[in-house]
Amino acid sequence: MRDTSGDEPRTSSGASLRKSIATVCLSGTLTEKLTAASRAGFDGVEIFENDLLASPLAPEEIAARTTDLGLRIDLYQPMRDIEAVPEELFARNLRRARHKFELMRRLGADTVLVCSSVSPHAVDDDALAAEQLSRLADLARESGIRVAYEALAWGRHVSTYDHAWRIVRAADHPALGTCLDSFHILSRGSDPKGIEDIPGDKIFFLQLADAPLMAMDVLQWSRHYRCFPGQGGFDVAGLLRHVLDAGYDGPLSLEVFNDVFRQADAGRTALDGLRSLLALEENAGVLPLPAPVIPSGVAFAELATSDPEPVGELLTALGFTRSGRHHGKPVDLWEQGEARVLVNTATAGRRTDTTLAAVGLETTDPAASARRAEALLAPALPKHHGAQDVPLESIAAPDGTEVLFCATGRPELPDWTDDFAQTAEPPATAALTIDHLALTQPWHHFDEAVLFHRTVLGLSPHDTVELADPYGLFRSRALSASSDGPRLVLNLAPTPEDDGETRARHVAFAVDDIVSAVRRFRAAGAGLLRVPANYYDDLEARFDFREGELETYRELGILYDRDERGGEFRHCYTETVGHVFFEFVQRSGGYAGFGAANAPIRLAAQRR
């Protein structure tokens, strides 16, 4: 994420621009979509025609509902296949437009989106397109409406923004301008620098969407895989800077076609969309937000359980010591080296399988981290602590995981470890740290989680990878602060029915010598994941090993990976307790990945 803390804001006051969202982004009825947009904090909406046609409310009622919710109808869309057609067909188009403009008058909408034609009847004639759009704009102006002409990336003859602008410029009509859409521009690889040549007052509307970088038909890509800015691979912030430099001062509007969004909770999706626009404004130098305080490490991982005995036995076998007890809550502190695990049994009599419920992140300024989170709409959690408890700022991640901002061992700041009375000395010689945390996400929260951790915590995302699960594909994306900072791995449950809450999460610990560590674990009775012999036969074919090295890995159940630069990754897994398991990793030679090649082996072994 680009650091804009020292940039001058592009608006004179540094105020946020108006924000809008297309109803097609959200699930539900039109009324539900409007309510979700309002509650999230949007200023306006684009009303997609299908949503209006399916609504039982009259246009006047929709207008009144929108006004009551504090929203403005910024755009009505779309009008298709209008221009560069034979005259008899264009006459029918004008008749259709006349009805739509009357509808817009009843709605109180003053801008209509006209997409470049995909009709087989359209001809490649810019002069005819300009002349017919000018006549359409004449009709629109009579109703107090502006026409925003947009180049669809798959338009029959007009498919680029600069081509659409040439036609608008040739028409030279005050009620005709252009609509810029980041997906249509960036999916074709067009250079957005040329946007600065368009007068700002002729850019009637701006639609924003991101998308993962994919090799597929652009129409299918657009219809199913768009996402909010910051969730994909496009430089949407760079495009926005060009639009603002052109002088555009209208709303920033989200137009996202996404199969998951259409089935997810509309309120959550709307809030996620607004967060994406706030972060986009920051990246583009428009809106100064509290600067991210990049986490420097993981203070602790907290497990919640109603049966602490199995996890306690496993931690003991792994060399952890129960070193502290919270003075006012049923929470135990387990330590080994710099790795700390909290075991929380405050389940109020409910049966709770062991799960990774919270993570403490090290930060140099917990209060500043909390201000950043608040500015980006992260829900602050209520502080249920006693009078003697150390106050900690905490927020909820999209999957419900509690994220606490900690400053361990900093005398000038409150230290969470002061809440724990020491019960035993932790091992003095163990060199152990938390390498990464892996959090399985519900099917409809994955992109939301990536954006949340990227913007709120300032973590940088890695490339998305797809892994083979025995019962489907398992999508995974890592985020990290730096080579030695905290790492999070977000995994997507393979099917909507597998909601992530029942899938195991895990904590990965870094060791200096994994072979010695695994021998200790086995001697202490730790249950480790069994790896098929076929896996080691394949390793022998893929890599050269020192004499006896592969046999040691085969004996101990250690998995191995090597990157193209020669970096090496050795790791192993424990058996699962409830919904949690542990991983031990040894990195060498600058290896920065997570052993993705071995994930299908681990997933299959856990399924067994």
Side-chain angles (χ1 to χ4, degrees):
M1 184 171 169
R2 193 175 72 96
D3 181 7
T4 61
S5 57
D7 291 355
E8 288 296 323
R10 290 175 178 259
T11 55
S12 59
S13 63
S16 178
L17 297 170
R18 291 185 69 255
K19 297 176 182 63
S20 188
I21 186 169
T23 56
V24 75
C25 299
L26 305 172
S27 66
T29 66
L30 179 56
T31 300
E32 291 170 331
K33 295 178 182 199
L34 295 175
T35 300
S38 173
R39 288 179 175 172
F42 281 94
D43 304 298
V45 291
E46 300 178 35
I47 290 189
F48 200 69
E49 186 168 68
N50 287 356
D51 288 318
L52 181 136
L53 298 180
S55 175
L57 300 179
E60 292 82 1
E61 293 175 299
I62 294 171
R65 178 70 60 88
T66 304
T67 300
D68 290 344
L69 290 169
L71 297 170
R72 172 180 166 180
I73 300 176
D74 289 317
L75 186 75
Y76 185 77
Q77 66 134 321
M79 290 184 65
R80 303 184 188 276
D81 299 331
I82 294 290
E83 83 287 7
V85 293
E87 183 59 31
E88 64 274 14
L89 180 55
F90 183 67
R92 293 199 296 270
N93 289 344
L94 285 181
R95 177 182 175 277
R96 172 162 54 101
R98 187 174 289 107
H99 283 274
K100 295 304 178 183
F101 294 158
E102 171 59 19
L103 171 66
M104 290 176 61
R105 184 194 62 76
R106 296 168 64 193
L107 276 175
D110 64 4
T111 304
V112 64
L113 177 69
V114 173
C115 303
S116 62
S117 180
V118 298
S119 169
H121 302 292
V123 296
D124 188 8
D125 186 337
D126 285 4
L128 179 61
E131 187 267 335
Q132 290 183 344
L133 286 174
S134 180
R135 289 163 63 188
L136 177 72
D138 277 338
L139 183 63
R141 184 167 56 174
E142 293 174 8
S143 301
I145 290 170
R146 304 186 309 166
V147 175
Y149 181 56
E150 172 188 67
L152 294 179
W154 52 91
R156 181 171 176 84
H157 300 296
V158 178
S159 58
T160 62
Y161 78 90
D162 51 338
H163 191 175
W165 164 237
R166 290 197 301 272
I167 292 173
V168 168
R169 184 175 56 190
D172 191 23
H173 195 290
L176 177 66
T178 187
C179 173
L180 299 175
D181 183 303
S182 64
F183 179 85
H184 293 304
I185 295 170
L186 299 176
S187 65
R188 293 187 57 88
S190 299
D191 184 356
K193 173 69 175 174
I195 292 171
E196 296 181 22
D197 297 329
I198 304 174
D201 61 356
K202 296 301 285 184
I203 302 174
F204 280 6
F205 209 72
L206 173 65
Q207 294 176 319
L208 298 166
D210 205 338
L213 302 181
M214 307 173 75
M216 69 182 307
D217 173 75
V218 69
L219 177 58
Q220 295 304 311
W221 191 12
S222 173
R223 285 286 180 261
H224 301 284
Y225 296 102
R226 293 197 195 194
C227 53
F228 291 140
Q231 293 177 337
F234 290 159
D235 182 12
V236 184
L239 180 141
L240 176 58
R241 286 192 286 271
H242 292 307
V243 175
L244 297 177
D245 286 343
Y248 176 76
D249 61 359
L252 309 182
S253 189
L254 296 168
E255 188 200 37
V256 172
F257 300 86
N258 185 292
D259 295 344
V260 175
F261 290 6
R262 288 169 174 164
Q263 300 174 62
D265 177 76
R268 289 188 64 138
T269 304
L271 192 67
D272 191 37
L274 190 63
R275 178 183 296 124
S276 78
L277 288 181
L278 291 170
L280 179 66
E281 285 184 295
E282 179 188 40
N283 252 358
V286 176
L287 180 66
L289 296 177
V293 183
I294 309 298
S296 59
V298 179
F300 61 82
E302 181 174 331
L303 311 182
T305 184
S306 58
D307 184 8
E309 186 173 341
V311 71
E313 290 176 352
L314 179 57
L315 287 170
T316 299
L318 296 176
F320 282 81
T321 295
R322 189 166 68 89
S323 59
R325 178 77 172 179
H326 194 282
H327 60 71
K329 301 173 184 176
V331 181
D332 290 325
L333 169 61
W334 293 75
E335 292 185 88
Q336 184 177 180
E338 297 180 9
R340 306 177 191 89
V341 176
L342 302 184
V343 179
N344 187 338
T345 57
T347 58
R350 294 178 288 106
R351 174 67 186 175
T352 303
D353 287 332
T354 303
T355 185
L356 177 57
V359 55
L361 295 179
E362 295 285 2
T363 171
T364 57
D365 191 341
S369 296
R371 288 194 296 271
R372 168 78 177 182
E374 180 182 10
L376 284 165
L377 313 177
L381 292 174
K383 300 175 176 62
H384 299 302
H385 56 75
Q388 299 180 9
D389 292 355
V390 173
L392 290 179
E393 302 284 354
S394 64
I395 58 175
D399 62 1
T401 302
E402 183 175 7
V403 178
L404 300 99
F405 299 117
C406 304
T408 310
R410 298 175 66 88
E412 72 278 13
L413 295 170
D415 190 332
W416 63 275
T417 61
D418 292 342
D419 283 343
F420 291 82
Q422 185 170 333
T423 57
E425 285 287 343
T429 58
L432 201 69
T433 59
I434 293 180
D435 182 87
H436 65 271
L437 302 166
L439 306 174
T440 303
Q441 303 296 304
W443 168 75
H444 49 290
H445 293 169
F446 186 81
D447 288 330
E448 179 186 359
V450 171
L451 181 67
F452 177 93
H453 293 294
R454 181 179 192 171
T455 59
V456 174
L457 302 181
L459 302 181
S460 299
H462 300 213
D463 290 338
T464 298
V465 297
E466 289 185 344
L467 312 171
D469 181 274
Y471 298 96
L473 285 179
F474 200 83
R475 187 175 166 204
S476 183
R477 194 170 193 185
L479 300 99
S480 61
S482 62
S483 58
D484 57 352
R487 305 176 181 93
L488 295 178
V489 178
L490 304 178
N491 296 321
L492 176 64
T495 65
E497 294 76 22
D498 196 347
D499 62 8
E501 296 179 5
T502 57
R503 292 298 293 257
R505 299 171 158 207
H506 77 268
V507 183
F509 301 104
V511 295
D512 293 333
D513 183 349
I514 195 167
V515 171
S516 298
V518 173
R519 293 194 189 282
R520 289 197 308 271
F521 302 158
R522 287 163 62 98
L528 300 179
L529 192 67
R530 289 179 291 177
V531 180
N534 292 335
Y535 167 77
Y536 295 100
D537 293 341
D538 182 65
L539 275 189
E540 187 174 16
R542 292 168 54 209
F543 301 114
D544 293 325
F545 292 98
R546 297 183 299 273
E547 184 177 354
E549 183 181 4
L550 182 60
E551 288 70 24
T552 299
Y553 299 158
R554 189 191 304 266
E555 172 199 352
L556 299 177
I558 295 173
L559 296 100
Y560 178 87
D561 189 34
R562 186 185 302 165
D563 64 25
E564 62 278 5
R565 296 179 300 277
E568 296 179 295
F569 189 65
R570 300 164 177 87
H571 57 137
C572 71
Y573 300 93
T574 70
E575 294 179 344
T576 302
V577 176
H579 300 311
V580 170
F581 62 95
F582 300 109
E583 179 183 9
F584 288 84
V585 309
Q586 178 184 342
R587 300 176 181 271
S588 61
Y591 186 99
F594 300 88
N598 296 327
I601 308 303
R602 187 261 296 176
L603 290 166
Q606 289 177 323
R607 288 284 191 175
R608 288 196 303 273

